[in-house]
Amino acid sequence: MSSSAFQVRRATLDDLAQLTALWRTMRFDTGELARRATEFQVAVAADGQLAGAIGLRIEQKQGRIHSEAFHDFSHADQVRPLFWERLNALAHNHGLLRFWTLEEAPFWKQCGLLPAEEEALGKLPPSWRAGRSGWLTLKLREDVHEIIAADHDFALLIEAERQRAQRVRGHARALRVAAVLIALAVLALVAVGAVMILRHRFFLPR
């Protein structure tokens, strides 16, 4: 069956009965997922039956791909590219920064999702952590707030360096003034000494 035989769209409450039956075959928590039914995308066959579904949970500009399910996994190769196209469109519309998933199908790594490194894991929303490991992630775009924060930190560093340079220049000026004053004092002492010597010699008896 070709991918054109399926239509991918957002799930509606009218799909809930079919979704629940699908989730049961996957042994998912149907109660939890039912409360989030509208975050699912569904692949609908020409006869109106759901061939598969996948969820995209969005928090803090992060998108979690989850709970992939198929009635017949022989359709997965045709449907997954359609899901991926749909997920990317949603990511663009919502301005997502990253995709995350715990799905294990090789397809997701082929799409560019790779094991998350420690730095990336720091961006994972706290509610998704719960001690889980094995996250795959894909960076979609730069975080403007991080760029602004980095620019702000750089500006603070430049300002701190400017102030330090000013202090150094101020200390240098103070040292120069002190050196000049010391030199003048020494010259004054030399002049006074010279005058005293001359006066002493002038008043010596001949």
Side-chain angles (χ1 to χ4, degrees):
M1 186 178 293
S2 69
S3 59
S4 60
F6 301 100
Q7 175 192 2
V8 174
R9 58 169 173 77
R10 183 181 180 184
T12 69
L13 294 179
D14 292 336
D15 299 314
L16 188 55
Q18 289 195 70
L19 280 170
T20 301
L22 177 60
W23 294 330
R24 285 197 183 111
T25 66
M26 301 294 296
R27 298 183 179 179
F28 291 159
D29 183 345
T30 57
E32 172 64 21
L33 295 182
R35 289 191 288 272
R36 297 180 174 275
T38 54
E39 75 183 29
F40 277 80
Q41 308 301 311
V42 295
V44 184
D47 59 3
Q49 296 298 304
L50 263 60
I54 197 164
L56 179 65
R57 187 173 303 177
I58 297 174
E59 287 188 30
Q60 302 174 11
K61 294 295 184 180
Q62 311 288 317
R64 177 182 174 182
I65 302 167
H66 68 94
S67 306
E68 181 187 48
F70 294 96
H71 275 302
D72 183 349
F73 271 84
S74 67
H75 296 156
D77 288 343
Q78 289 79 43
V79 175
R80 280 186 178 127
L82 299 178
F83 278 154
W84 182 238
E85 182 180 355
R86 177 77 173 175
L87 293 172
N88 275 281
L90 292 170
H92 177 76
N93 291 340
H94 289 275
L96 298 189
L97 304 175
R98 279 182 180 271
F99 276 139
W100 297 88
T101 193
L102 290 169
E103 298 293 332
E104 298 178 351
F107 174 82
W108 302 109
K109 287 186 178 180
Q110 294 168 10
C111 290
L113 283 89
L114 299 174
E117 297 180 352
E118 194 65 30
E119 181 181 355
L121 286 171
K123 305 177 189 302
L124 189 67
S127 62
W128 297 355
R129 295 174 187 176
R132 297 183 181 182
S133 59
W135 286 100
L136 303 179
T137 189
L138 172 64
K139 185 176 182 179
L140 301 174
R141 66 180 66 195
E142 296 293 339
D143 188 339
V144 174
H145 295 293
E146 286 187 357
I147 295 173
I148 293 174
D151 288 344
H152 179 65
D153 291 343
F154 182 71
L156 290 177
L157 180 63
I158 293 298
E159 177 62 19
E161 181 63 23
R162 185 185 67 80
Q163 293 180 2
R164 188 192 69 81
Q166 284 184 336
R167 288 195 297 271
V168 170
R169 288 194 294 270
H171 292 159
R173 284 195 297 269
L175 289 174
R176 286 197 296 271
V177 171
V180 170
L181 292 175
I182 291 171
L184 291 175
V186 170
L187 287 174
L189 289 174
V190 170
V192 170
V195 169
M196 292 181 65
I197 291 172
L198 290 173
R199 290 181 63 185
H200 180 69
R201 291 184 61 186
F202 180 80
F203 288 106
L204 284 176
R206 294 181 181 274

